[in-house]
Amino acid sequence: MERRAKVELFEQIRREYEFGAGTIRGVAQQLGVHRRLVRQALEDAVPPERKDVGRASPKLGPVREFIDRILESDRRAPRKQRHTARRIYVRIRQEFPGHEMAEVTVRAYVRARKQE
């Protein structure tokens, strides 16, 4: 839910609590939200900022340099000869046989590096 919509929802919750249902449970049922959200809205008119969860990727650590080298060499290669994320994943499976990791992890990292 975008921030503006959440601010409007908080305003609606506060209005409904004051002039309508009058109880946290009643407002929650009427608007179809959780009681915790009603309490947050009554506490403060501005919704709290969402925490950005920075997740580590320990499985990717040992092969990160390998992927970066492949992508760097692909910059100089003709477009048709560049590695796809799938091909990089297959090479990791071949060259690092004991290293288990999901293909989607490699795809996400390759996508992020290419955007940089």
Side-chain angles (χ1 to χ4, degrees):
M1 182 182 286
E2 86 178 45
R3 184 144 175 90
R4 179 176 292 180
K6 195 136 187 185
V7 170
E8 292 169 1
L9 176 64
F10 269 38
E11 184 179 322
Q12 186 179 4
I13 289 171
R14 293 167 75 89
R15 200 175 311 116
E16 183 64 33
Y17 183 79
E18 193 168 330
F19 302 113
T23 63
I24 291 174
R25 183 171 178 231
V27 173
Q29 285 178 340
Q30 180 129 9
L31 298 178
V33 294
H34 198 278
R35 293 185 312 273
R36 185 181 327 114
L37 188 67
V38 175
R39 285 191 190 95
Q40 280 181 349
L42 295 176
E43 222 174 82
D44 192 8
V46 180
E49 290 288 327
R50 287 189 59 121
K51 295 179 211 164
D52 182 28
V53 180
R55 298 181 191 270
S57 49
K59 297 248 182 187
L60 197 57
V63 294
R64 190 172 276 144
E65 291 178 23
F66 177 71
I67 295 172
D68 288 340
R69 280 196 311 263
I70 290 174
L71 293 176
E72 188 59 40
S73 67
D74 280 353
R75 283 179 149 184
R76 293 181 293 273
R79 190 174 64 84
K80 289 288 201 172
Q81 294 177 8
R82 294 179 187 163
H83 287 79
T84 61
R86 166 98 179 134
R87 181 66 186 125
I88 292 173
Y89 172 71
V90 170
R91 280 192 59 188
I92 289 171
R93 300 263 326 235
Q94 290 171 350
E95 297 182 27
F96 297 90
H99 194 75
E100 292 294 323
M101 125 179 2
E103 183 177 352
V104 70
T105 306
V106 175
R107 285 178 181 270
Y109 181 72
V110 169
R111 184 182 320 113
R113 293 296 292 165
K114 283 186 176 180
Q115 286 176 354
E116 287 177 7

